[in-house]
């Protein structure tokens, strides 16, 4: 059988590269003809990617996945023209073009794989231009929900076709009705990326325009969760979307290790089934001292057992406090010693899989949302940045798979939010959310347990995502270029 290789260009960063590798592994496990070259860009804001890629290579994930690291580009610190993500990615296009050129074998060999196309990150659609130069098809890997994909396309259409300025929605009472959602989406949960013209272009307009030129969009979701959105994207000609391939849930495994992991799991082993509330807020999810104190007060008042991943706010990456006492209320650790454990980094998927976990206070990042559904753990929503507010809204209002602490809470991490000031979520609000997710055999818990079964069935032979993955592979194989790879 003819072998086919795909060039994968993820956004640099541990999360995006990790997701790309997991998708590649799913594809090569399914079809022995496929292989991947993952092209790794180096950005001035990224400090972890190099070591992460090195760790992946050492673990020898597969002989059919290899990594090509691009050279670093020296940026003039006084030049502000390359400060946006889109402009930084644009500087990488010549390097990606050169790297792919080196992968092509000058003379055809029957043992060399054929170059089948590009797979690009949802924020790297500029590389569709590079794929076109080689005469190759491009597929977008969309690492959020199908409903959010529809929202992005809808906002781009409003801007480009109806000449509406979406930045004016910030702080308003406007409700949007994207065709992929069954309920109107209020402006208060729209991404902060829409609050300025630069970030709107980088995170919404430019990617969405690129989506429309892709051969297909691979979405980390599954039909049983988002049947309405997927059917709309597939069948509504007015959206003008390329074919959609829902192949999830693809869960990103943690590659970090910590000396405290054994003690964490030992503590969970001592707890009753479904008795522990887990609090964790992602790679960049951290809070100031005032908010930490409100969370602590809510936990203490609730009386529920808890495991809290408490991390310190920093400018570029998340780290744990040297001593939690410096930010927690006086005496908190002593008073809650019998029911709670405060930790730094958390092995999230391992913890969610534990029988002791009964609820999850989460930032509602999409990977975390899928993980909670996979393990049947209901979420109490406390989103922070990106599209997390939209995810929280969908969990609570559209799917009925979460309870609200807050859906519109946000912190300024990547972009300034002009119309908002620092808001503190009060302890009584947090406590109410904790009790809603933890107490009683409620309807949300039942629905999450049912969805857990459905997402696992989706990946089994005959399941919706298993079938969609097959259609994707068929499309890739049937549109292979005659160009041979230098393997």
């Amino acid at each position: 059988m003819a072998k086919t290789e795909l060039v994968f260009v993820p956004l640099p960063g541990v999360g995006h590269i990790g997701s790309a590798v997991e998708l590649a592994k799913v594809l090569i496990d399914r079809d022995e003809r496929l292989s991947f070259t993952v092209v790794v860009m180096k950005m001035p804001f990224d400090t972890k990617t190099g070591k992460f890629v090195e760790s992946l290579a050492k673990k020898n994930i597969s002989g059919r996945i290899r990594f090509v690291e691009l050279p670093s580009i020296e940026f003039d610190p006084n030049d502000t023209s390359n400060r946006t993500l889109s402009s930084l990615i644009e500087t990488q296009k010549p390097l990606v073009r050169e790297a792919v050129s080196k992968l092509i074998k000058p003379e055809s060999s029957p043992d060399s794989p054929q170059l089948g196309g590009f797979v690009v990150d949802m924020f790297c659609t500029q590389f569709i231009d590079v794929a076109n130069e080689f005469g190759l098809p491009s597929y977008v890997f969309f690492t959020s929900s199908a409903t959010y994909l529809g929202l992005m396309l809808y906002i781009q259409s409003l801007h480009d076709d109806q000449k509406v300025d979406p930045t004016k929605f910030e702080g308003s009472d406007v409700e949007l009705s994207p065709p992929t959602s069954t309920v109107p989406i209020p402006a208060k949960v729209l991404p902060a990326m829409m609050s300025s013209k630069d970030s709107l272009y980088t995170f919404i307009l430019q990617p969405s325009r690129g989506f429309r030129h892709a051969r297909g969009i691979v979405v980390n979701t599954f039909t049983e969760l988002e049947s309405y959105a997927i059917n709309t994207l597939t069948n509504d000609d007015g959206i003008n979307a390329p074919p959609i391939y829902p192949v999830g849930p693809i869960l990103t495994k943690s590659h970090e290790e910590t000396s405290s992991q054994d003690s964490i799991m030992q503590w969970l082993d001592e707890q009753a089934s479904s008795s522990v509330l887990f609090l964790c807020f992602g790679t960049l999810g951290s809070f100031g001292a005032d908010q930490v104190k409100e969370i602590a007060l809510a936990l203490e008042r609730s009386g529920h057992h808890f495991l809290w991943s408490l991390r310190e706010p920093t400018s570029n990456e998340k780290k744990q406090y040297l001593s939690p006492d410096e930010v927690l209320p006086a005496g908190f650790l002593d008073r809650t010693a019998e029911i709670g454990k405060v930790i730094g980094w958390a092995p999230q998927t391992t913890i969610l899989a534990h029988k002791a976990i009964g609820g999850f206070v989460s930032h509602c990042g999409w990977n975390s949302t899928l993980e909670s559904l996979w393990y049947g753990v209901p979420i109490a929503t406390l989103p922070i940045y990106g599209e997390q507010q939209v995810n929280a809204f969908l969990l609570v209002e559209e799917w009925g798979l979460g309870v609200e602490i807050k859906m519109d809470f946000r912190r300024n991490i990547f972009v300034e939010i002009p119309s908002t000031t620092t808001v503190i979520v009060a302890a009584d609000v947090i406590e109410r959310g904790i009790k809603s997710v933890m107490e009683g055999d409620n309807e949300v818990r039942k629905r999450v347990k049912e969805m857990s079964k459905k997402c696992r069935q989706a990946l089994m032979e005959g399941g919706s995502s298993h079938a969609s993955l097959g259609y994707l592979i068929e499309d890739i194989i049937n549109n292979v270029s005659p160009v041979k790879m230098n393997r």
Side-chain angles (χ1 to χ4, degrees):
M1 295 184 294
K3 297 177 181 178
T4 300
E5 182 145 354
L6 294 163
V7 174
F8 210 138
V9 191
L11 190 71
V14 170
H16 285 259
I17 293 174
S19 295
V21 169
E22 292 302 324
L23 174 60
K25 287 166 64 177
V26 168
L27 284 163
I28 66 173
D29 286 346
R30 180 68 177 273
D31 196 303
E32 62 184 19
R33 294 171 292 181
L34 297 179
S35 59
F36 280 86
T37 292
V38 181
V39 177
V40 182
M41 297 178 280
K42 293 183 179 179
M43 295 289 189
F45 56 78
D46 179 39
T47 60
K48 284 189 171 183
T49 294
K51 290 183 179 178
F52 180 61
V53 171
E54 184 179 340
S55 71
L56 292 177
K58 283 182 179 178
K59 291 177 181 178
N60 192 22
I61 292 174
S62 170
R64 288 151 58 200
I65 300 177
R66 61 174 170 176
F67 299 92
V68 174
E69 294 189 66
L70 300 181
S72 299
I73 296 179
E74 295 295 328
F75 293 97
D76 182 352
N78 298 316
D79 182 3
T80 59
S81 63
N82 286 324
R83 289 294 185 267
T84 67
L85 179 62
S86 59
S87 62
L88 286 169
I89 290 174
E90 196 70 27
T91 64
Q92 302 290 313
K93 286 171 75 172
L95 300 179
V96 172
R97 185 183 299 114
E98 182 180 0
V100 175
S101 297
K102 291 179 179 178
L103 295 175
I104 297 173
K105 197 174 185 73
E107 297 181 1
S108 177
S109 167
D111 295 328
S112 298
Q114 299 178 91
L115 185 55
F118 277 46
V119 182
V120 300
D121 186 280
M122 61 185 285
F123 294 121
C124 296
T125 55
Q126 294 103 308
F127 297 117
I128 293 176
D129 295 338
V130 180
N132 290 339
E133 293 174 17
F134 288 97
L136 296 170
S138 294
Y139 300 86
V140 171
F141 183 33
F142 194 84
T143 53
S144 191
S145 71
T147 308
Y148 184 65
L149 169 60
L151 176 63
M152 287 182 66
L153 292 169
Y154 174 72
I155 292 169
Q156 181 249 324
S157 180
L158 284 179
H159 180 275
D160 292 355
D161 301 331
Q162 300 182 38
K163 309 306 177 186
V164 173
D165 181 4
T167 62
K168 296 187 182 299
F169 298 151
E170 174 67 33
S172 74
D173 295 325
V174 168
E175 290 188 332
L176 299 185
S177 298
T180 50
S181 178
T182 61
V183 293
I185 297 179
K188 68 179 182 178
V189 303
L190 292 175
M193 290 98 76
M194 290 175 52
S195 62
S196 74
K197 293 187 183 300
D198 283 345
S199 59
L200 174 71
Y201 175 78
T202 297
F203 295 105
I204 305 289
L205 299 182
Q206 185 179 65
S208 298
R209 291 166 184 162
F211 298 161
R212 299 185 190 278
H213 296 289
R215 182 168 181 84
I217 303 178
V218 184
V219 188
N220 190 10
T221 190
F222 55 106
T223 301
E224 289 75 9
L225 175 63
E226 296 192 88
S227 58
Y228 184 84
I230 291 167
N231 288 335
T232 302
L233 288 166
T234 302
N235 300 315
D236 189 339
D237 293 337
I239 295 181
N240 191 28
I244 305 297
Y245 299 96
V247 299
I250 297 173
L251 305 184
T252 304
K253 299 178 179 62
S254 174
H255 295 274
E256 291 187 68
E257 296 180 354
T258 175
S259 58
S260 64
Q261 183 164 336
D262 289 344
S263 66
I264 293 170
M265 304 315 295
Q266 182 179 351
W267 184 83
L268 285 174
D269 289 342
E270 297 169 355
Q271 311 305 313
S273 178
S274 300
S275 67
V276 176
L277 178 72
F278 178 41
L279 300 91
C280 189
F281 302 96
T283 306
L284 296 172
S286 54
F287 302 98
D290 289 344
Q291 186 62 74
V292 168
K293 286 180 171 59
E294 295 296 316
I295 295 172
L297 183 58
L299 287 170
E300 190 170 0
R301 286 177 179 172
S302 77
H304 286 286
H305 289 222
F306 65 86
L307 179 66
W308 184 4
S309 176
L310 177 61
R311 307 297 289 273
E312 180 179 1
T314 63
S315 59
N316 51 25
E317 65 181 59
K318 200 170 127 196
K319 64 180 181 180
Q320 63 195 55
Y321 286 95
L322 293 177
S323 171
D325 281 329
E326 65 186 83
V327 67
L328 290 169
F332 172 81
L333 292 175
D334 292 333
R335 293 192 301 272
T336 60
E338 297 298 318
I339 64 169
K341 188 175 181 65
V342 177
I343 59 175
W345 174 85
Q348 181 169 291
T349 53
T350 306
I351 290 171
L352 288 172
H354 199 283
K355 64 179 180 60
I357 302 299
F360 183 22
V361 178
S362 171
H363 63 307
C364 303
W366 189 241
N367 284 340
S368 294
T369 298
L370 292 177
E371 289 165 10
S372 74
L373 296 178
W374 180 267
Y375 292 111
V377 180
I379 283 180
T381 65
L382 192 56
I384 299 174
Y385 63 92
E387 90 287 11
Q388 294 166 8
Q389 289 78 21
V390 176
N391 296 341
F393 177 81
L394 295 174
L395 277 167
V396 175
E397 298 294 340
E398 177 143 1
W399 303 329
L401 297 171
V403 301
E404 179 182 6
I405 293 178
K406 286 283 285 183
M407 292 188 294
D408 58 347
F409 178 78
R410 63 185 66 194
R411 283 186 54 231
N412 299 9
I413 289 184
F414 297 117
V415 297
E416 292 297 322
I417 310 171
S419 64
T420 61
T421 56
T422 301
V423 175
I424 303 298
V425 184
D428 60 336
V429 174
I430 301 170
E431 182 186 2
R432 185 163 58 246
I434 290 172
K435 290 182 175 180
S436 294
V437 80
M438 291 298 291
E439 296 180 359
D441 193 19
N442 54 52
E443 286 302 312
V444 169
R445 185 177 300 278
K446 291 177 183 177
R447 283 193 288 268
V448 171
K449 294 294 184 185
E450 291 170 1
M451 191 57 69
S452 176
K453 295 177 183 177
K454 290 179 179 179
C455 70
R456 291 168 185 266
Q457 290 168 351
L459 294 177
M460 297 169 64
E461 188 169 355
S464 60
S465 293
H466 186 274
S468 185
L469 192 70
Y471 298 139
L472 172 62
I473 292 172
E474 182 180 0
D475 191 75
I476 292 170
I477 297 295
N478 289 341
N479 291 277
V480 170
S481 156
V483 178
K484 293 290 185 178
M485 299 295 291
N486 186 16
R487 267 259 188 193

